Amino acid sequence: MAPAPQWFTRRRRPATARSVLAGEAAAEAARKTSQEVPEVEEAPEEPEFPVVGDEAAAAFFDLDNTVMQGAALFHFGRGLYKRHFFHKRDLARFAWQQVYFRLAGSENPEHMADVRNSALSIVQGHRVAELMSIGEEIYDEYMAERVWPGTRALAQAHLDAGQKVWLVTAAPVETATIIARRLGLTGALGTVAESVGGVYTGKLVGEPLHGPAKAEAVRALAAAEGLDLSHCAAYSDSSNDIPMLSLVGHPYAINPDSRLRKHAHENGWRLRDYRTGRKAVKIGIPAAAGVGALAGGAAAAVALQRRRR
């Protein structure tokens, strides 16, 4: 092969002291950076909650509009109507009560009294065992699909942590117990209807488990179970449950009415709204609590009534 022309031959430039210094500095810097582990600023860890193995802790969940979309009594009423326990005019009243409940977004005491009286008049004279059996069927027909997936995930997180989970509701204790059992919860605190010889009399034992009565029920159960309320959590949608929420160390506002939302913001309570997909205001709600779907219980009842006409 012929040698390259002289004009094509590159001339080697002699290394100057400055170029040698630059090369050595670059090599040394490369060695240092390859050996160094970059420091990453870590975000402060959130405290674990629920705390696994904390035997002094438990969780208390309101039912209507917290665990379940709409009012349990309304869904129960639909099931009883299907079984000819009452007439169309009563179904219309139940439908209106449900519409009011959903539009108002809170539990008005007078409205709740109307619902209570309607339910008591319907079950009067029926056997407790009969209503319990029917309640199981009604749960599958109307209630199971209306449980908020997000709230159920919250309850499951407590169960997985080894804690007891209780429903606390103004609904009849029999209905609440069925729902708690079907969800795998520990049990339920609910309104007790009087029965004699296993037959409903149409009266209550005391008054509905509502507002301050819920707080007293939680306090009594905590004392009996040896719980530390500062370790416990409570969940509700209603400002009527502020007394119960204020009892515990971990109060949560779930699908809150306007007054509870304001109270939660002012007091730094955790908040989750499954109706709109709003994110939690405070960190610490388990990630499994996804956004639930909104169901139209009242619309379904009205449609059912129209089809039967």
Side-chain angles (χ1 to χ4, degrees):
M1 182 175 179
Q6 187 175 3
W7 56 266
F8 188 75
T9 304
R10 292 179 178 176
R11 295 182 179 180
R12 291 189 177 182
R13 294 174 55 191
T16 65
R18 291 177 63 84
S19 62
V20 171
L21 181 61
E24 291 177 347
E28 182 64 19
R31 275 186 68 252
K32 286 183 178 180
T33 55
S34 66
Q35 295 171 359
E36 292 177 354
V37 177
E39 294 184 4
V40 179
E41 186 176 345
E42 296 184 0
E45 292 186 4
E46 288 291 326
E48 180 187 12
F49 185 79
V51 179
V52 176
D54 186 354
E55 296 181 356
F60 303 94
F61 284 79
D62 170 54
L63 176 58
D64 294 346
N65 216 32
T66 301
V67 171
M68 178 182 297
Q69 301 164 34
L73 269 179
F74 168 74
H75 301 310
F76 190 64
R78 290 177 64 194
L80 293 182
Y81 172 76
K82 179 181 177 181
R83 291 160 176 81
H84 309 292
F85 271 67
F86 54 91
H87 305 290
K88 288 183 180 179
R89 64 177 180 276
D90 300 303
L91 179 64
R93 185 170 73 252
F94 270 104
W96 164 245
Q97 289 167 343
Q98 174 73 350
V99 169
Y100 178 92
F101 180 87
R102 293 176 68 87
L103 292 179
S106 62
E107 300 168 357
N108 179 281
E110 292 183 4
H111 173 67
M112 296 299 291
D114 289 341
V115 175
R116 177 197 69 206
N117 293 333
S118 297
L120 287 172
S121 65
I122 289 169
V123 303
Q124 183 178 2
H126 289 276
R127 299 195 65 81
V128 175
E130 176 191 11
L131 270 296
M132 287 292 289
S133 177
I134 291 174
E136 296 280 358
E137 299 171 3
I138 292 175
Y139 177 84
D140 290 326
E141 293 171 2
Y142 298 111
M143 299 182 184
E145 65 183 12
R146 289 180 171 80
V147 173
W148 293 109
T151 312
R152 186 168 188 173
L154 292 172
Q156 189 61 49
H158 286 280
L159 293 170
D160 292 343
Q163 298 176 8
K164 292 183 177 180
V165 178
W166 303 85
L167 288 182
V168 188
T169 173
V173 68
E174 294 86 359
T175 301
T177 299
I178 290 170
I179 296 170
R181 182 169 63 248
R182 298 299 289 273
L183 293 178
L185 309 184
T186 307
L189 297 165
T191 298
V192 179
E194 181 185 77
S195 63
V196 176
V199 177
Y200 288 112
T201 66
K203 299 178 182 178
L204 293 182
V205 177
E207 60 182 29
L209 196 69
H210 185 263
K214 283 188 179 181
E216 293 306 315
V218 168
R219 196 192 309 274
L221 184 62
E225 293 276 322
L227 302 174
D228 184 338
L229 285 172
S230 67
H231 291 208
C232 294
Y235 301 79
S236 179
D237 71 296
S238 174
S239 57
N240 292 310
D241 287 338
I242 288 176
M244 177 180 76
L245 295 169
S246 300
L247 275 183
V248 301
H250 302 278
Y252 288 72
I254 305 294
N255 306 328
D257 60 35
S258 58
R259 184 179 165 215
L260 179 57
R261 181 180 294 276
K262 181 175 183 291
H263 189 88
H265 280 299
E266 291 174 348
N267 290 272
W269 291 359
R270 293 178 173 91
L271 183 149
R272 174 71 78 176
D273 197 325
Y274 297 113
R275 299 165 301 184
T276 61
R278 293 188 182 99
K279 298 299 182 182
V281 173
K282 287 285 185 177
I283 297 174
I285 295 179
V291 176
L294 179 61
V302 173
L304 174 64
Q305 182 188 9
R306 287 174 178 170
R307 287 199 301 270
R308 289 181 177 272
R309 284 177 179 173

Short mmCIF file of all heavy atoms in Angstrom, two decimals, residues 208-273:
data_model
loop_
_atom_site.label_atom_id
_atom_site.label_comp_id
_atom_site.label_asym_id
_atom_site.label_seq_id
_atom_site.Cartn_x
_atom_site.Cartn_y
_atom_site.Cartn_z
N PRO A 208 -83.55 6.36 68.88
CA PRO A 208 -82.64 5.95 67.80
C PRO A 208 -81.18 6.25 68.15
O PRO A 208 -80.88 7.22 68.86
CB PRO A 208 -83.11 6.80 66.61
CG PRO A 208 -84.53 7.15 66.91
CD PRO A 208 -84.59 7.30 68.40
N LEU A 209 -80.31 5.41 67.65
CA LEU A 209 -78.87 5.61 67.88
C LEU A 209 -78.40 6.66 66.88
O LEU A 209 -77.95 6.34 65.77
CB LEU A 209 -78.12 4.29 67.69
CG LEU A 209 -76.71 4.27 68.25
CD1 LEU A 209 -76.73 4.31 69.77
CD2 LEU A 209 -75.96 3.02 67.76
N HIS A 210 -78.51 7.90 67.29
CA HIS A 210 -78.28 9.02 66.37
C HIS A 210 -77.56 10.13 67.10
O HIS A 210 -77.81 10.39 68.28
CB HIS A 210 -79.62 9.53 65.83
CG HIS A 210 -79.50 10.59 64.79
ND1 HIS A 210 -79.61 11.94 65.10
CD2 HIS A 210 -79.28 10.53 63.46
CE1 HIS A 210 -79.47 12.65 64.01
NE2 HIS A 210 -79.27 11.82 63.00
N GLY A 211 -76.64 10.81 66.42
CA GLY A 211 -75.95 11.96 67.00
C GLY A 211 -75.19 11.60 68.26
O GLY A 211 -74.36 10.68 68.28
N PRO A 212 -75.46 12.32 69.37
CA PRO A 212 -74.74 12.08 70.63
C PRO A 212 -74.89 10.64 71.14
O PRO A 212 -73.99 10.13 71.81
CB PRO A 212 -75.40 13.07 71.59
CG PRO A 212 -75.93 14.15 70.73
CD PRO A 212 -76.38 13.48 69.47
N ALA A 213 -76.01 9.99 70.79
CA ALA A 213 -76.21 8.61 71.24
C ALA A 213 -75.15 7.69 70.65
O ALA A 213 -74.72 6.71 71.29
CB ALA A 213 -77.60 8.12 70.86
N LYS A 214 -74.70 7.97 69.44
CA LYS A 214 -73.63 7.18 68.84
C LYS A 214 -72.34 7.32 69.64
O LYS A 214 -71.63 6.33 69.87
CB LYS A 214 -73.39 7.62 67.39
CG LYS A 214 -74.41 7.14 66.39
CD LYS A 214 -73.93 7.48 64.98
CE LYS A 214 -74.90 7.00 63.92
NZ LYS A 214 -74.41 7.32 62.56
N ALA A 215 -72.03 8.54 70.03
CA ALA A 215 -70.82 8.77 70.81
C ALA A 215 -70.87 8.00 72.12
O ALA A 215 -69.88 7.40 72.55
CB ALA A 215 -70.63 10.27 71.07
N GLU A 216 -72.04 7.98 72.76
CA GLU A 216 -72.17 7.25 74.03
C GLU A 216 -72.03 5.75 73.80
O GLU A 216 -71.44 5.04 74.62
CB GLU A 216 -73.53 7.57 74.67
CG GLU A 216 -73.67 9.01 75.14
CD GLU A 216 -72.53 9.43 76.06
OE1 GLU A 216 -72.19 8.63 76.97
OE2 GLU A 216 -71.98 10.53 75.87
N ALA A 217 -72.55 5.25 72.69
CA ALA A 217 -72.42 3.83 72.38
C ALA A 217 -70.96 3.45 72.16
O ALA A 217 -70.49 2.41 72.64
CB ALA A 217 -73.25 3.49 71.15
N VAL A 218 -70.24 4.29 71.43
CA VAL A 218 -68.82 4.03 71.17
C VAL A 218 -68.03 4.08 72.47
O VAL A 218 -67.16 3.24 72.74
CB VAL A 218 -68.26 5.04 70.15
CG1 VAL A 218 -66.73 4.99 70.10
CG2 VAL A 218 -68.84 4.79 68.77
N ARG A 219 -68.34 5.06 73.32
CA ARG A 219 -67.64 5.19 74.60
C ARG A 219 -67.87 3.94 75.46
O ARG A 219 -66.95 3.40 76.07
CB ARG A 219 -68.12 6.45 75.32
CG ARG A 219 -67.20 6.90 76.46
CD ARG A 219 -67.87 7.96 77.32
NE ARG A 219 -68.41 9.05 76.53
CZ ARG A 219 -67.71 10.11 76.16
NH1 ARG A 219 -66.42 10.20 76.49
NH2 ARG A 219 -68.28 11.08 75.46
N ALA A 220 -69.12 3.48 75.48
CA ALA A 220 -69.45 2.31 76.30
C ALA A 220 -68.77 1.05 75.76
O ALA A 220 -68.26 0.23 76.53
CB ALA A 220 -70.97 2.12 76.35
N LEU A 221 -68.78 0.89 74.44
CA LEU A 221 -68.16 -0.29 73.85
C LEU A 221 -66.64 -0.27 74.07
O LEU A 221 -66.03 -1.31 74.36
CB LEU A 221 -68.46 -0.36 72.36
CG LEU A 221 -67.95 -1.60 71.63
CD1 LEU A 221 -68.59 -2.86 72.19
CD2 LEU A 221 -68.23 -1.50 70.13
N ALA A 222 -66.05 0.91 73.94
CA ALA A 222 -64.60 1.02 74.16
C ALA A 222 -64.23 0.64 75.58
O ALA A 222 -63.22 -0.06 75.81
CB ALA A 222 -64.14 2.45 73.86
N ALA A 223 -65.05 1.05 76.54
CA ALA A 223 -64.78 0.70 77.94
C ALA A 223 -64.90 -0.81 78.14
O ALA A 223 -64.08 -1.43 78.83
CB ALA A 223 -65.74 1.45 78.85
N ALA A 224 -65.93 -1.40 77.54
CA ALA A 224 -66.14 -2.84 77.70
C ALA A 224 -65.05 -3.65 77.00
O ALA A 224 -64.68 -4.73 77.48
CB ALA A 224 -67.51 -3.22 77.14
N GLU A 225 -64.52 -3.14 75.90
CA GLU A 225 -63.51 -3.86 75.13
C GLU A 225 -62.08 -3.53 75.55
O GLU A 225 -61.13 -4.11 75.03
CB GLU A 225 -63.68 -3.53 73.64
CG GLU A 225 -64.98 -4.05 73.03
CD GLU A 225 -64.88 -5.50 72.59
OE1 GLU A 225 -63.83 -5.91 72.08
OE2 GLU A 225 -65.87 -6.23 72.80
N GLY A 226 -61.93 -2.58 76.47
CA GLY A 226 -60.58 -2.19 76.89
C GLY A 226 -59.82 -1.43 75.82
O GLY A 226 -58.60 -1.57 75.69
N LEU A 227 -60.52 -0.60 75.04
CA LEU A 227 -59.89 0.15 73.97
C LEU A 227 -59.42 1.52 74.45
O LEU A 227 -59.99 2.10 75.37
CB LEU A 227 -60.88 0.35 72.82
CG LEU A 227 -61.47 -0.91 72.18
CD1 LEU A 227 -62.54 -0.53 71.17
CD2 LEU A 227 -60.38 -1.75 71.54
N ASP A 228 -58.38 2.01 73.80
CA ASP A 228 -57.91 3.38 74.04
C ASP A 228 -58.45 4.22 72.88
O ASP A 228 -57.99 4.08 71.74
CB ASP A 228 -56.38 3.41 74.06
CG ASP A 228 -55.83 4.79 74.40
OD1 ASP A 228 -56.55 5.80 74.21
OD2 ASP A 228 -54.67 4.87 74.85
N LEU A 229 -59.40 5.10 73.17
CA LEU A 229 -60.04 5.86 72.10
C LEU A 229 -59.06 6.75 71.33
O LEU A 229 -59.29 7.06 70.16
CB LEU A 229 -61.19 6.70 72.67
CG LEU A 229 -62.45 5.91 73.04
CD1 LEU A 229 -63.44 6.79 73.79
CD2 LEU A 229 -63.10 5.31 71.80
N SER A 230 -57.96 7.14 71.96
CA SER A 230 -56.97 7.95 71.25
C SER A 230 -56.26 7.14 70.16
O SER A 230 -55.66 7.70 69.25
CB SER A 230 -55.94 8.52 72.22
OG SER A 230 -55.14 7.48 72.78
N HIS A 231 -56.34 5.82 70.24
CA HIS A 231 -55.76 4.94 69.21
C HIS A 231 -56.80 4.57 68.15
O HIS A 231 -56.43 3.99 67.12
CB HIS A 231 -55.24 3.65 69.84
CG HIS A 231 -54.04 3.84 70.70
ND1 HIS A 231 -53.09 2.85 70.91
CD2 HIS A 231 -53.61 4.90 71.43
CE1 HIS A 231 -52.16 3.30 71.73
NE2 HIS A 231 -52.46 4.54 72.06
N CYS A 232 -58.06 4.85 68.41
CA CYS A 232 -59.15 4.39 67.55
C CYS A 232 -59.42 5.37 66.41
O CYS A 232 -59.00 6.53 66.45
CB CYS A 232 -60.43 4.19 68.36
SG CYS A 232 -60.32 2.84 69.57
N ALA A 233 -60.14 4.87 65.40
CA ALA A 233 -60.54 5.70 64.26
C ALA A 233 -62.06 5.65 64.12
O ALA A 233 -62.70 4.67 64.51
CB ALA A 233 -59.90 5.19 62.97
N ALA A 234 -62.64 6.72 63.58
CA ALA A 234 -64.08 6.76 63.31
C ALA A 234 -64.29 7.43 61.97
O ALA A 234 -63.54 8.34 61.58
CB ALA A 234 -64.82 7.52 64.41
N TYR A 235 -65.32 6.98 61.26
CA TYR A 235 -65.59 7.42 59.90
C TYR A 235 -67.07 7.78 59.77
O TYR A 235 -67.93 7.00 60.16
CB TYR A 235 -65.26 6.30 58.91
CG TYR A 235 -63.84 5.81 58.94
CD1 TYR A 235 -63.41 4.92 59.93
CD2 TYR A 235 -62.91 6.22 57.98
CE1 TYR A 235 -62.10 4.47 59.97
CE2 TYR A 235 -61.60 5.76 58.00
CZ TYR A 235 -61.20 4.89 59.00
OH TYR A 235 -59.90 4.43 59.03
N SER A 236 -67.36 8.94 59.20
CA SER A 236 -68.76 9.33 59.00
C SER A 236 -68.87 10.40 57.92
O SER A 236 -67.91 11.11 57.62
CB SER A 236 -69.37 9.85 60.29
OG SER A 236 -70.73 10.23 60.07
N ASP A 237 -70.09 10.50 57.36
CA ASP A 237 -70.39 11.52 56.36
C ASP A 237 -71.12 12.71 56.96
O ASP A 237 -71.24 13.75 56.32
CB ASP A 237 -71.29 10.93 55.27
CG ASP A 237 -72.70 10.68 55.78
OD1 ASP A 237 -72.87 9.84 56.69
OD2 ASP A 237 -73.64 11.33 55.31
N SER A 238 -71.65 12.57 58.18
CA SER A 238 -72.61 13.53 58.70
C SER A 238 -72.06 14.37 59.85
O SER A 238 -71.38 13.86 60.74
CB SER A 238 -73.87 12.78 59.19
OG SER A 238 -74.76 13.67 59.83
N SER A 239 -72.40 15.66 59.81
CA SER A 239 -72.03 16.54 60.92
C SER A 239 -72.71 16.12 62.21
O SER A 239 -72.25 16.47 63.30
CB SER A 239 -72.39 17.99 60.59
OG SER A 239 -73.78 18.10 60.30
N ASN A 240 -73.80 15.35 62.11
CA ASN A 240 -74.45 14.84 63.32
C ASN A 240 -73.54 13.89 64.09
O ASN A 240 -73.76 13.64 65.28
CB ASN A 240 -75.74 14.11 62.97
CG ASN A 240 -76.81 15.05 62.45
OD1 ASN A 240 -77.10 16.08 63.06
ND2 ASN A 240 -77.37 14.74 61.30
N ASP A 241 -72.53 13.37 63.41
CA ASP A 241 -71.61 12.42 64.06
C ASP A 241 -70.33 13.08 64.55
O ASP A 241 -69.38 12.38 64.93
CB ASP A 241 -71.26 11.29 63.08
CG ASP A 241 -72.43 10.33 62.88
OD1 ASP A 241 -73.31 10.30 63.76
OD2 ASP A 241 -72.46 9.64 61.85
N ILE A 242 -70.27 14.39 64.56
CA ILE A 242 -69.09 15.08 65.10
C ILE A 242 -68.80 14.64 66.54
O ILE A 242 -67.63 14.46 66.90
CB ILE A 242 -69.24 16.61 64.99
CG1 ILE A 242 -69.11 17.03 63.52
CG2 ILE A 242 -68.22 17.34 65.85
CD1 ILE A 242 -69.34 18.50 63.26
N PRO A 243 -69.82 14.43 67.39
CA PRO A 243 -69.51 13.93 68.74
C PRO A 243 -68.76 12.59 68.71
O PRO A 243 -67.81 12.40 69.48
CB PRO A 243 -70.89 13.78 69.39
CG PRO A 243 -71.74 14.80 68.70
CD PRO A 243 -71.26 14.78 67.27
N MET A 244 -69.16 11.68 67.85
CA MET A 244 -68.47 10.39 67.75
C MET A 244 -67.07 10.57 67.17
O MET A 244 -66.09 10.00 67.68
CB MET A 244 -69.26 9.42 66.88
CG MET A 244 -68.59 8.07 66.67
SD MET A 244 -69.53 6.91 65.62
CE MET A 244 -69.23 7.62 63.98
N LEU A 245 -66.95 11.36 66.13
CA LEU A 245 -65.65 11.58 65.50
C LEU A 245 -64.67 12.26 66.46
O LEU A 245 -63.47 11.98 66.43
CB LEU A 245 -65.82 12.43 64.23
CG LEU A 245 -66.62 11.79 63.09
CD1 LEU A 245 -66.94 12.82 62.02
CD2 LEU A 245 -65.85 10.63 62.48
N SER A 246 -65.19 13.13 67.28
CA SER A 246 -64.34 13.87 68.21
C SER A 246 -63.81 13.00 69.35
O SER A 246 -62.87 13.40 70.05
CB SER A 246 -65.11 15.07 68.79
OG SER A 246 -65.52 15.96 67.77
N LEU A 247 -64.42 11.85 69.54
CA LEU A 247 -63.99 10.95 70.62
C LEU A 247 -62.65 10.29 70.34
O LEU A 247 -61.91 9.96 71.26
CB LEU A 247 -65.02 9.84 70.83
CG LEU A 247 -66.23 10.08 71.72
CD1 LEU A 247 -67.06 8.81 71.80
CD2 LEU A 247 -65.80 10.52 73.12
N VAL A 248 -62.35 10.07 69.05
CA VAL A 248 -61.22 9.21 68.70
C VAL A 248 -60.01 10.03 68.27
O VAL A 248 -60.10 11.22 67.96
CB VAL A 248 -61.62 8.25 67.57
CG1 VAL A 248 -62.80 7.39 68.00
CG2 VAL A 248 -61.97 9.01 66.29
N GLY A 249 -58.88 9.33 68.24
CA GLY A 249 -57.64 9.99 67.84
C GLY A 249 -57.49 10.14 66.34
O GLY A 249 -56.65 10.91 65.87
N HIS A 250 -58.29 9.37 65.57
CA HIS A 250 -58.16 9.38 64.12
C HIS A 250 -59.54 9.53 63.47
O HIS A 250 -60.14 8.55 63.01
CB HIS A 250 -57.49 8.09 63.63
CG HIS A 250 -56.14 7.86 64.23
ND1 HIS A 250 -54.99 8.45 63.76
CD2 HIS A 250 -55.77 7.11 65.30
CE1 HIS A 250 -53.97 8.06 64.48
NE2 HIS A 250 -54.41 7.25 65.43
N PRO A 251 -60.07 10.75 63.43
CA PRO A 251 -61.39 10.97 62.81
C PRO A 251 -61.27 11.16 61.30
O PRO A 251 -60.33 11.81 60.82
CB PRO A 251 -61.88 12.26 63.48
CG PRO A 251 -60.61 12.99 63.83
CD PRO A 251 -59.55 11.96 64.09
N TYR A 252 -62.19 10.59 60.57
CA TYR A 252 -62.21 10.69 59.11
C TYR A 252 -63.58 11.18 58.65
O TYR A 252 -64.60 10.66 59.09
CB TYR A 252 -61.96 9.33 58.45
CG TYR A 252 -60.56 8.80 58.54
CD1 TYR A 252 -60.05 8.32 59.74
CD2 TYR A 252 -59.74 8.76 57.42
CE1 TYR A 252 -58.77 7.82 59.82
CE2 TYR A 252 -58.46 8.26 57.48
CZ TYR A 252 -57.97 7.79 58.69
OH TYR A 252 -56.70 7.29 58.77
N ALA A 253 -63.59 12.15 57.75
CA ALA A 253 -64.83 12.61 57.12
C ALA A 253 -64.93 11.92 55.77
O ALA A 253 -64.07 12.11 54.90
CB ALA A 253 -64.81 14.13 56.95
N ILE A 254 -65.97 11.10 55.59
CA ILE A 254 -66.16 10.34 54.36
C ILE A 254 -67.42 10.85 53.66
O ILE A 254 -68.49 10.86 54.26
CB ILE A 254 -66.31 8.83 54.66
CG1 ILE A 254 -65.12 8.31 55.47
CG2 ILE A 254 -66.48 8.05 53.35
CD1 ILE A 254 -63.80 8.34 54.74
N ASN A 255 -67.31 11.26 52.40
CA ASN A 255 -68.46 11.82 51.67
C ASN A 255 -69.18 12.87 52.53
O ASN A 255 -70.41 12.81 52.70
CB ASN A 255 -69.46 10.71 51.30
CG ASN A 255 -68.81 9.58 50.52
OD1 ASN A 255 -67.88 9.79 49.77
ND2 ASN A 255 -69.32 8.38 50.72
N PRO A 256 -68.48 13.84 53.07
CA PRO A 256 -69.05 14.69 54.11
C PRO A 256 -70.09 15.68 53.61
O PRO A 256 -70.03 16.17 52.48
CB PRO A 256 -67.83 15.44 54.65
CG PRO A 256 -66.91 15.52 53.47
CD PRO A 256 -67.08 14.22 52.74
N ASP A 257 -71.06 15.99 54.50
CA ASP A 257 -71.95 17.11 54.22
C ASP A 257 -71.15 18.40 54.42
O ASP A 257 -70.00 18.38 54.88
CB ASP A 257 -73.20 17.05 55.11
CG ASP A 257 -72.90 17.11 56.60
OD1 ASP A 257 -71.94 17.82 57.01
OD2 ASP A 257 -73.62 16.46 57.38
N SER A 258 -71.74 19.53 54.04
CA SER A 258 -70.98 20.78 54.02
C SER A 258 -70.46 21.18 55.40
O SER A 258 -69.33 21.66 55.54
CB SER A 258 -71.85 21.90 53.45
OG SER A 258 -73.05 22.06 54.21
N ARG A 259 -71.28 20.96 56.42
CA ARG A 259 -70.84 21.35 57.76
C ARG A 259 -69.69 20.47 58.25
O ARG A 259 -68.73 20.96 58.84
CB ARG A 259 -72.03 21.25 58.73
CG ARG A 259 -71.68 21.73 60.13
CD ARG A 259 -72.86 21.64 61.07
NE ARG A 259 -72.42 21.76 62.45
CZ ARG A 259 -72.96 21.14 63.48
NH1 ARG A 259 -73.98 20.32 63.27
NH2 ARG A 259 -72.52 21.30 64.69
N LEU A 260 -69.77 19.17 57.97
CA LEU A 260 -68.68 18.29 58.40
C LEU A 260 -67.42 18.58 57.60
O LEU A 260 -66.31 18.55 58.15
CB LEU A 260 -69.08 16.82 58.22
CG LEU A 260 -68.00 15.80 58.61
CD1 LEU A 260 -67.55 15.98 60.05
CD2 LEU A 260 -68.50 14.37 58.38
N ARG A 261 -67.58 18.87 56.31
CA ARG A 261 -66.40 19.20 55.51
C ARG A 261 -65.67 20.42 56.09
O ARG A 261 -64.43 20.43 56.23
CB ARG A 261 -66.81 19.48 54.05
CG ARG A 261 -65.64 19.80 53.14
CD ARG A 261 -66.13 20.07 51.72
NE ARG A 261 -66.70 18.87 51.13
CZ ARG A 261 -65.97 17.93 50.54
NH1 ARG A 261 -64.66 18.05 50.46
NH2 ARG A 261 -66.57 16.87 50.02
N LYS A 262 -66.43 21.43 56.44
CA LYS A 262 -65.84 22.65 57.02
C LYS A 262 -65.16 22.32 58.35
O LYS A 262 -64.04 22.76 58.61
CB LYS A 262 -66.94 23.69 57.22
CG LYS A 262 -66.47 25.02 57.80
CD LYS A 262 -67.63 26.02 57.82
CE LYS A 262 -67.19 27.39 58.33
NZ LYS A 262 -66.83 27.37 59.77
N HIS A 263 -65.84 21.54 59.18
CA HIS A 263 -65.29 21.17 60.49
C HIS A 263 -64.01 20.35 60.32
O HIS A 263 -63.03 20.55 61.06
CB HIS A 263 -66.32 20.37 61.28
CG HIS A 263 -65.95 20.13 62.71
ND1 HIS A 263 -66.26 21.00 63.73
CD2 HIS A 263 -65.27 19.10 63.30
CE1 HIS A 263 -65.80 20.53 64.87
NE2 HIS A 263 -65.19 19.37 64.64
N ALA A 264 -64.00 19.46 59.34
CA ALA A 264 -62.82 18.63 59.09
C ALA A 264 -61.63 19.48 58.66
O ALA A 264 -60.50 19.28 59.13
CB ALA A 264 -63.13 17.57 58.04
N HIS A 265 -61.86 20.44 57.77
CA HIS A 265 -60.79 21.33 57.33
C HIS A 265 -60.24 22.14 58.51
O HIS A 265 -59.03 22.30 58.66
CB HIS A 265 -61.30 22.28 56.24
CG HIS A 265 -61.36 21.67 54.88
ND1 HIS A 265 -60.24 21.20 54.22
CD2 HIS A 265 -62.40 21.45 54.04
CE1 HIS A 265 -60.58 20.72 53.04
NE2 HIS A 265 -61.90 20.85 52.91
N GLU A 266 -61.13 22.66 59.32
CA GLU A 266 -60.71 23.50 60.43
C GLU A 266 -59.92 22.74 61.49
O GLU A 266 -59.07 23.31 62.17
CB GLU A 266 -61.94 24.15 61.09
CG GLU A 266 -62.63 25.19 60.21
CD GLU A 266 -63.93 25.70 60.82
OE1 GLU A 266 -64.39 25.08 61.81
OE2 GLU A 266 -64.46 26.70 60.32
N ASN A 267 -60.19 21.43 61.61
CA ASN A 267 -59.55 20.64 62.65
C ASN A 267 -58.49 19.67 62.12
O ASN A 267 -57.94 18.88 62.89
CB ASN A 267 -60.61 19.86 63.43
CG ASN A 267 -61.49 20.76 64.28
OD1 ASN A 267 -61.17 21.05 65.43
ND2 ASN A 267 -62.61 21.20 63.71
N GLY A 268 -58.20 19.75 60.84
CA GLY A 268 -57.14 18.93 60.28
C GLY A 268 -57.49 17.45 60.20
O GLY A 268 -56.60 16.60 60.23
N TRP A 269 -58.78 17.16 60.09
CA TRP A 269 -59.19 15.76 59.98
C TRP A 269 -58.98 15.26 58.57
O TRP A 269 -59.08 16.02 57.60
CB TRP A 269 -60.67 15.59 60.34
CG TRP A 269 -60.98 15.83 61.79
CD1 TRP A 269 -60.09 16.14 62.79
CD2 TRP A 269 -62.28 15.79 62.41
NE1 TRP A 269 -60.75 16.29 63.99
CE2 TRP A 269 -62.09 16.08 63.78
CE3 TRP A 269 -63.56 15.55 61.93
CZ2 TRP A 269 -63.16 16.12 64.68
CZ3 TRP A 269 -64.62 15.58 62.82
CH2 TRP A 269 -64.42 15.87 64.18
N ARG A 270 -58.71 13.97 58.44
CA ARG A 270 -58.57 13.38 57.11
C ARG A 270 -59.94 13.34 56.43
O ARG A 270 -60.95 13.15 57.08
CB ARG A 270 -57.97 11.97 57.22
CG ARG A 270 -56.52 11.97 57.70
CD ARG A 270 -56.01 10.54 57.82
NE ARG A 270 -54.60 10.49 58.12
CZ ARG A 270 -54.08 10.44 59.34
NH1 ARG A 270 -54.90 10.43 60.38
NH2 ARG A 270 -52.78 10.40 59.53
N LEU A 271 -59.91 13.46 55.12
CA LEU A 271 -61.16 13.58 54.38
C LEU A 271 -61.06 12.77 53.08
O LEU A 271 -60.03 12.79 52.41
CB LEU A 271 -61.43 15.05 54.08
CG LEU A 271 -62.73 15.42 53.38
CD1 LEU A 271 -63.18 16.81 53.82
CD2 LEU A 271 -62.57 15.41 51.86
N ARG A 272 -62.13 12.09 52.74
CA ARG A 272 -62.20 11.37 51.47
C ARG A 272 -63.63 11.46 50.95
O ARG A 272 -64.58 11.22 51.69
CB ARG A 272 -61.80 9.91 51.66
CG ARG A 272 -61.97 9.04 50.45
CD ARG A 272 -60.96 9.33 49.36
NE ARG A 272 -59.66 8.75 49.63
CZ ARG A 272 -58.63 8.79 48.81
NH1 ARG A 272 -58.77 9.40 47.65
NH2 ARG A 272 -57.49 8.26 49.14
N ASP A 273 -63.77 11.83 49.68
CA ASP A 273 -65.10 11.95 49.08
C ASP A 273 -65.17 11.04 47.86
O ASP A 273 -64.55 11.31 46.84
CB ASP A 273 -65.38 13.40 48.68
CG ASP A 273 -66.86 13.65 48.43
OD1 ASP A 273 -67.52 12.73 47.93
OD2 ASP A 273 -67.35 14.75 48.75
#
